[in-house]
Amino acid sequence: MSKYGFYIDMTRCVGCKTCQVACKDKNNLDLDVNYRFVRTFETGVFPNPDIYHYAGTCNHCEDPACVKGCPTGAMYVNSDGIVLHNDDDCIGCHYCTWNCPYGVPQIFESGITGKCDMCQAYIENGAEPVCVNACMMRALKWGTIADLEAEFGADAVKDIAILPDSSLTSPNTYLKIKAACSEPNYVTREV
Amino acid sequence: MENLALILFTLLMQASAGTLIFIAVAKIFNKEASYKYSYLCVAVATVAGCLLSLMHLAVPMSALTSLNNIGTSMLSTEIFLAGSLTVISVIAVIFVFMKKDMIATVLTWLGAIVGIALVYIMSQVYNATSIAIWQGSYVAVDFLTTAVILGAAFFFITKGKEEGICPSCLGIVALAAIAIQVAVAVPYYLELSALGAGASASIEILLANSTAIIAKWLLAIIGLALFIAPAKEKAAALPYIGAVAVICGLAIGRYLFFASMVVSQVGLV
């Protein structure tokens, strides 16, 4: 079965957070809980300052640390490569929140955790994940790994300064980056 | 004190594992001794530890499902070993009070071995996370030496008048364990900043808690000095005060272990 992944064109993203809002709305998430999150980073100094935005979510990794650590099996990899979370099996130990180097699993008020399921119910019916559909800059794409590789593989990367080393979990998110994304000296900015 | 349940769980389980080791060794030197209060203390500590670990969960009634991934998930394996140690400790104390010495001794050694395995796997639970300050062999050394130090202190306090291992010998073993802890901790903390932004954020938390760090080492060192000093009749309580001070010092150290946790995330790696 084909495995799915995301593509983020960081040269297009303007940090509008529409994807974050669409995801929050679709999943009816608690306050302070975000399955997709947009963060802004500033690099350089005058006369060469730069800024970029990272619209992150679960990377549906090949070797997900959250799945490896989960004691109950609530976190698991589906046959289509999507990393899913079964709320009924979750005991709220929060170990997945310690394990994921991207800080993806979120803790609900009830104490159990949750995360992006790549809008599985939508894609099974031929629709796109809501974040991809909502992106007004068309900076977010979604598809099978093979299609993403074929279309964007040539100029896509998986490692940038703000992310953990991709060899840790082999994320299935492809990034088209600006030069500033490789700058090791960055400052997080609230926008 | 978000992680109070985990602080107490780790300390109680490590103390239990250490105490069982000292009971097992002491029984070699004094076959007549029962050490029943030490056994009772271990059983109570392991049961309390398991109950406290449940309090950490959002759905404690489903706690048994945490055993689904033994062998593949470090946390699942830890919970299995903690449960096993608790069962062994409770059965052992029953046999001790029934005066079935042979079975109790076998269970003590079994408990000591399971306890050591538990403490090591416990360290790997934290090692396996993305939290920078919990990486490296320091966590395993810290947990194993803490088990020895707490075990010595608990055994000394609970053994009563029964002989086996002299208090000074217990103190010297604890001192050696603390020396190992210091020898590993110093280079570890000096090299920590090289581990990235997450580790640097943890260092900032530790620096903000410098009073607690000083209190930890003062209590541990003064406590050990009182523990090791030959007991005088007029000051018979001093070694006990020392043992309690050592336990308090290590408890502060465990608080710092959890307080300095900074979870890795985008922009903080």
Side-chain angles (χ1 to χ4, degrees), chain A residues 37 39 41 54 68-73 90-93 95 97-103 110-112 161-164 186, chain B residues 6 56-59 62 65-66 68-69 72-73 75-76 125-126 128-131 134 258 261 263-269:
Chain A
F37 50 89
R39 300 219 175 110
F41 300 92
Y54 176 80
K68 212 188 281 180
C70 182
T72 66
C90 180
I91 56 171
C93 67
Y95 196 46
T97 66
W98 292 2
N99 281 346
C100 174
Y102 299 90
S110 63
I112 66 162
I162 57 162
L163 296 180
Y186 57 83
Chain B
L6 289 179
H56 163 71
L57 303 176
V59 193
S62 302
T65 60
S66 63
N68 286 354
N69 286 333
T72 53
S73 161
L75 185 57
S76 200
V125 166
Y126 296 96
T129 65
S130 67
I131 295 159
W134 291 347
F258 283 102
M261 165 178 78
V263 178
S264 169
Q265 54 180 296
V266 172
L268 194 68
V269 291

Side-chain angles (χ1 to χ4, degrees), chain A residues 109-126:
Chain A
E109 260 180 33
S110 63
I112 66 162
T113 55
K115 60 175 281 301
C116 159
D117 65 354
M118 214 182 244
C119 293
Q120 202 196 24
Y122 283 25
I123 62 176
E124 277 174 0
N125 290 307

Side-chain angles (χ1 to χ4, degrees), chain B residues 11-82:
Chain B
L11 286 171
L12 287 171
M13 286 302 176
Q14 286 167 24
S16 302
T19 308
L20 281 175
I21 295 168
F22 282 104
I23 295 174
V25 174
K27 277 190 158 228
I28 296 171
F29 298 109
N30 185 359
K31 291 188 170 55
E32 303 303 313
S34 71
Y35 301 118
K36 59 183 178 185
Y37 295 114
S38 299
Y39 278 110
L40 193 59
C41 172
V42 169
V44 171
T46 50
V47 171
C50 281
L51 292 175
L52 282 163
S53 73
L54 294 181
M55 283 172 61
H56 163 71
L57 303 176
V59 193
M61 297 306 282
S62 302
L64 280 180
T65 60
S66 63
L67 299 172
N68 286 354
N69 286 333
I70 296 169
T72 53
S73 161
M74 283 294 173
L75 185 57
S76 200
T77 311
E78 181 207 40
I79 294 163
F80 169 71
L81 288 171

Side-chain angles (χ1 to χ4, degrees), chain B residues 7-242:
Chain B
I7 294 171
L8 294 172
F9 165 73
T10 54
L11 286 171
L12 287 171
M13 286 302 176
Q14 286 167 24
S16 302
T19 308
L20 281 175
I21 295 168
F22 282 104
I23 295 174
V25 174
K27 277 190 158 228
I28 296 171
F29 298 109
N30 185 359
K31 291 188 170 55
E32 303 303 313
S34 71
Y35 301 118
K36 59 183 178 185
Y37 295 114
S38 299
Y39 278 110
L40 193 59
C41 172
V42 169
V44 171
T46 50
V47 171
C50 281
L51 292 175
L52 282 163
S53 73
L54 294 181
M55 283 172 61
H56 163 71
L57 303 176
V59 193
M61 297 306 282
S62 302
L64 280 180
T65 60
S66 63
L67 299 172
N68 286 354
N69 286 333
I70 296 169
T72 53
S73 161
M74 283 294 173
L75 185 57
S76 200
T77 311
E78 181 207 40
I79 294 163
F80 169 71
L81 288 171
S84 303
L85 181 64
T86 304
V87 170
I88 291 167
S89 306
V90 170
I91 296 173
V93 79
I94 292 169
F95 280 111
V96 168
F97 278 89
M98 287 169 65
K99 297 194 180 354
K100 305 270 187 196
D101 229 32
M102 190 64 190
I103 303 170
T105 304
V106 171
L107 287 170
T108 308
W109 279 105
L110 181 64
I113 292 164
V114 171
I116 293 167
L118 166 65
V119 175
Y120 177 73
I121 292 294
M122 202 181 264
S123 72
Q124 298 309 298
V125 166
Y126 296 96
N127 244 198
T129 65
S130 67
I131 295 159
I133 200 164
W134 291 347
Q135 304 306 308
S137 54
Y138 170 68
V139 181
V141 174
D142 182 62
F143 279 22
L144 287 164
T145 50
T146 297
V148 171
I149 301 161
L150 286 178
F154 269 78
F155 179 66
F156 175 68
I157 293 169
T158 57
K159 76 181 177 64
K161 294 197 184 310
E162 290 181 302
E163 301 296 332
I165 307 175
C166 67
S168 298
C169 296
L170 286 171
I172 288 164
V173 172
L175 183 66
I178 246 179
I180 294 169
Q181 228 175 59
V182 175
V184 178
V186 172
Y188 171 74
Y189 282 111
L190 288 176
E191 288 166 15
L192 202 58
S193 57
L195 290 176
S200 299
S202 291
I203 292 171
E204 277 179 33
I205 294 170
L206 286 175
L207 290 175
N209 282 286
S210 50
T211 316
I213 297 173
I214 294 166
K216 175 203 164 168
W217 290 111
L218 276 179
L219 282 167
I221 291 164
I222 294 170
L224 270 177
L226 293 174
F227 200 172
I228 293 170
K232 291 174 184 165
E233 263 186 41
K234 282 182 183 172
L238 277 184
Y240 292 96
I241 294 169

